[in-house]
Amino acid sequence: MKKGYFGDFGGQFIPELLMPPLIELEEAMQTILPSEEFQTRFIQMLKENVGRPSALTYCRHMSEDLGLDLWLKREDLNHSGAHKINNTLGQGLLAKMMGKEVLLAETGAGMHGVATTVAAAMLDMKAVIYMGAEDVVRQAPNVNRMRLMGAEIVAVESGTRTLKDAINEAMRRWLADQENTHYCFGTAAGPHPFPELVREFQQVISKEARQQFMDRTDGALPDVVVACVGGGSNAIGMFHHFVPDASVKLIGVEAAGTGEPGCDNSAPLNLGSSGVLHGMKTKLLQTDAGQIMPSHSVAPGLDYPGVGPEHAHLQDIGRAQYVTINDNQALNAFVTLSRREGIIPALESSHAVAYAIENKDALKGQSVLVNLSGRGDKDLGILDRIL
Amino acid sequence: MNHMHMKINDATQHGKVGLIPFLPAGFPNREQFWKELEALDKAGAAVIEIGMPFSDPVADGPVVEKASLRSLADGIDLNWIFTELKARKGQFNAALLLMGYLNPVYQYGLEAFGADCEAAGISGLILADIPHEESQFVKDAIEPHGVALVPLIGLNTSRERMQLYAENASGFCYFVSVLGTTGQQKALPDRIKEKLAEAKAVFDIPIALGFGIENPAQLARFDGLMDAAVFGSALISHIESGKSSAEFMQPWA
Ligand SMILES: Cc1ncc(COP(=O)(O)O)c(C=O)c1O
């Protein structure tokens, strides 16, 4: 396979001026990442600061309600509230050891921005966060958290004013500031080596979950593993150690928006086609003329017209299946998990939970392990609309 | 020798810098665009760069981005560009180049794109998101049609990487004057000189300097180190303020 590719997908479709920092990063992955110093410090941070291993929770009430065994991998219990912190501490430490002083990031829901800000504070670095102006309004609690912890926040007014445009602007900033700045990319997408690098830091999710599940079930594996897919980092982290287990069905859940035919959505694997954006060849929401279409989801963290290349590949070879859940189904799951289990999921993760609810008949009697990628505190503003 | 190379040579042999103006296709509107192109041609442009609008132009600064997005909103696409260019084939003295990003070209189909470039009299292509590593499939599709993939290099390009680009390069080499996007600087940094000299030694095609260039006075320092100058943002702003392309080109003549 060509370097930086997953089958047909991946690559490095970026301006030449960004190749030197990408090559520098790739070298750091080969030299610094495997070093004992890095590994020791990283594992210690995950334990001491993030709270890993995160719990595996059996949902007693919902399992009864649905007629299946529902398990949650609790990334919502991580410090700062989502899986994003695994990646930002990893990239932050790597950048620090590369001699960088600034962590630059884009953010949609704000969770990656918060996690980058935490990493910067812990590592005595500066955080610069690009966020679509629309998302700045939608996810105000996270903006406040970032401000409190000292991040410089840039509200992006161009384009659709969401994650896609935040990525464009962050790439421009990185072009200009590449000497001191590491672009702490927030998901398993973008140009090589980001998809591999982010997966490396997120695979801890399935490494833990697989062992925890087997410990609780006398060595059995789950029948189905489910995760929501925005850029695809929590999903690839959740899938990785199950990929060789042929008996385990892998389900990625994309956001269908309102779900009406032709509506704006965030489901490139289901409703998109092959193309090139943000440094990678992948599945995209685009017009016939190759212009990127606006995306939509009630969950800002899923609101992205592309997806990490490894997911496009897993879909291509039939190893993972990608389905859609619409806004209302996700909101229903948001409320249901809160009421039945006392766990408030992020709207992003609610899409994954909704898969189990909506497919309860087909899943009857099976064990379904859902990655709860984050907690819903940031989404409480939306309650005014639904309750 | 590629047509762009010849046109830049024509200028340098007369002791001048080759002029490479850039305008997004369909800017400032469909009709005016062709008038601007004719004016630029008459005013002695060596190569004219025509922008193919894209929704997510990460290498462009605010002026170019805004102009391109406006063209996009007006429905400008590759079909329009090729249809109009074919109708005008042979009318331009300058060599013509298309500049943009991969995805619209990829969706158009690279084979069809190469053939249409030839039919429309295009002799060069810049794709801002194609580094050396991903360039082969693009070259395979366009080079048989006499279209050169113009390499972009910059202040952070090592000599080794310059050599990768120099192998089989034709047309000209585009040297980006800043670490950043188009149109965002006033003063060109001094270390450009050193890097230009390096590029001069590596490439046997002309070197064009671009990004942030608005007047000939800026270039005096780089005499002998470059063969051509690209200007986009400054020209777009000039036209937006109601002035003519001919007027913009005058100080360079
Ligand atoms: C809680 C949560 N889950 C999921 C995502 C989606 O991202 P990814 O698919 O990269 O994990 C986000 C993104 O912001 C998020 O905040």
Side-chain angles (χ1 to χ4, degrees), chain A residues 81-84 107-112 139 142 163 186-189 198 202 228-236 300-303 307 311 345-349 371-375 378-379:
Chain A
H83 67 294
K84 300 287 183 187
T107 194
M111 296 312 291
H112 175 58
Q139 302 280 300
N142 274 341
L163 181 58
T187 190
V198 176
Q202 292 295 2
C228 68
V229 178
S233 71
N234 87 88
I236 212 66
L302 302 184
D303 193 346
V307 61
H311 288 293
L347 282 176
E348 291 78 12
S349 323
N371 190 31
L372 205 69
S373 55
R375 61 176 173 245
K378 69 186 178 61
D379 300 314

Side-chain angles (χ1 to χ4, degrees), chain A residues 34-62:
Chain A
S35 72
E36 202 184 312
E37 186 190 352
F38 179 91
Q39 288 298 330
T40 308
R41 282 181 70 185
F42 183 48
I43 289 164
Q44 189 192 351
M45 286 197 303
L46 289 182
K47 192 169 157 197
E48 199 171 299
N49 299 82
V50 178
R52 301 211 75 91
S54 66
L56 182 76
T57 300
Y58 181 70
C59 296
R60 225 150 39 92
H61 300 131
M62 278 185 68

Side-chain angles (χ1 to χ4, degrees), chain A residues 22-305:
Chain A
L22 284 176
I23 292 169
E24 188 189 353
L25 182 60
E26 211 180 333
E27 283 166 4
M29 273 175 73
Q30 280 153 12
T31 54
I32 299 174
L33 195 83
S35 72
E36 202 184 312
E37 186 190 352
F38 179 91
Q39 288 298 330
T40 308
R41 282 181 70 185
F42 183 48
I43 289 164
Q44 189 192 351
M45 286 197 303
L46 289 182
K47 192 169 157 197
E48 199 171 299
N49 299 82
V50 178
R52 301 211 75 91
S54 66
L56 182 76
T57 300
Y58 181 70
C59 296
R60 225 150 39 92
H61 300 131
M62 278 185 68
S63 291
E64 260 173 47
D65 296 349
L66 300 174
L68 47 77
D69 282 326
L70 180 66
W71 299 80
L72 300 178
K73 176 61 175 163
R74 301 290 304 279
E75 293 301 296
D76 62 311
L77 296 177
N78 291 347
H79 173 50
S80 82
H83 67 294
K84 300 287 183 187
I85 190 83
N86 305 321
N87 173 43
T88 60
L89 287 185
Q91 286 198 49
L93 181 61
L94 189 66
K96 181 85 182 175
M97 289 174 72
M98 288 166 75
K100 307 283 175 185
E101 289 158 12
V102 180
L103 291 180
L104 166 68
E106 81 295 334
T107 194
M111 296 312 291
H112 175 58
V114 168
T116 304
T117 308
V118 168
M122 275 177 55
L123 294 160
D124 196 19
M125 299 170 85
K126 177 176 155 56
V128 177
I129 310 295
Y130 280 71
M131 191 168 185
E134 165 103 18
D135 292 332
V136 168
V137 176
R138 282 201 283 183
Q139 302 280 300
N142 274 341
V143 175
N144 290 335
R145 290 207 275 169
M146 287 185 268
R147 291 225 166 92
L148 177 62
M149 292 186 288
E152 174 194 332
I153 296 166
V154 184
V156 175
E157 297 285 352
S158 62
T160 55
R161 306 162 88 235
T162 58
L163 181 58
K164 157 180 97 79
D165 307 285
I167 294 178
N168 290 342
E169 287 299 335
M171 281 177 119
R172 288 169 170 146
R173 172 81 170 248
W174 193 34
L175 248 174
D177 290 350
Q178 51 184 265
E179 261 162 48
N180 281 326
T181 298
H182 171 70
Y183 186 6
C184 187
F185 203 72
T187 190
H192 172 71
F194 283 114
E196 282 174 32
L197 182 64
V198 176
R199 183 190 67 197
E200 171 65 25
F201 294 134
Q202 292 295 2
Q203 51 86 23
V204 64
I205 301 173
S206 52
K207 189 172 176 189
E208 286 176 7
R210 192 174 179 282
Q211 191 58 51
Q212 288 168 320
F213 190 91
M214 288 171 57
D215 289 347
R216 302 265 295 268
T217 59
D218 286 334
L221 288 168
D223 296 309
V224 186
V225 166
V226 188
C228 68
V229 178
S233 71
N234 87 88
I236 212 66
M238 186 62 175
F239 290 173
H240 189 64
H241 290 279
F242 290 108
V243 168
D245 300 319
S247 71
V248 179
K249 244 173 108 172
L250 304 176
I251 305 285
V253 183
E254 296 194 303
T258 63
E260 288 148 28
C263 73
D264 284 350
N265 62 79
S266 306
L269 289 166
N270 280 282
L271 301 169
S273 56
S274 291
V276 174
L277 178 72
H278 294 151
M280 59 181 160
K281 184 172 169 211
T282 187
K283 292 283 177 72
L284 297 175
L285 299 175
Q286 57 181 329
T287 66
D288 290 344
Q291 306 298 339
I292 307 308
M293 300 210 303
S295 56
H296 170 78
S297 169
V298 68
L302 302 184
D303 193 346
Y304 180 58

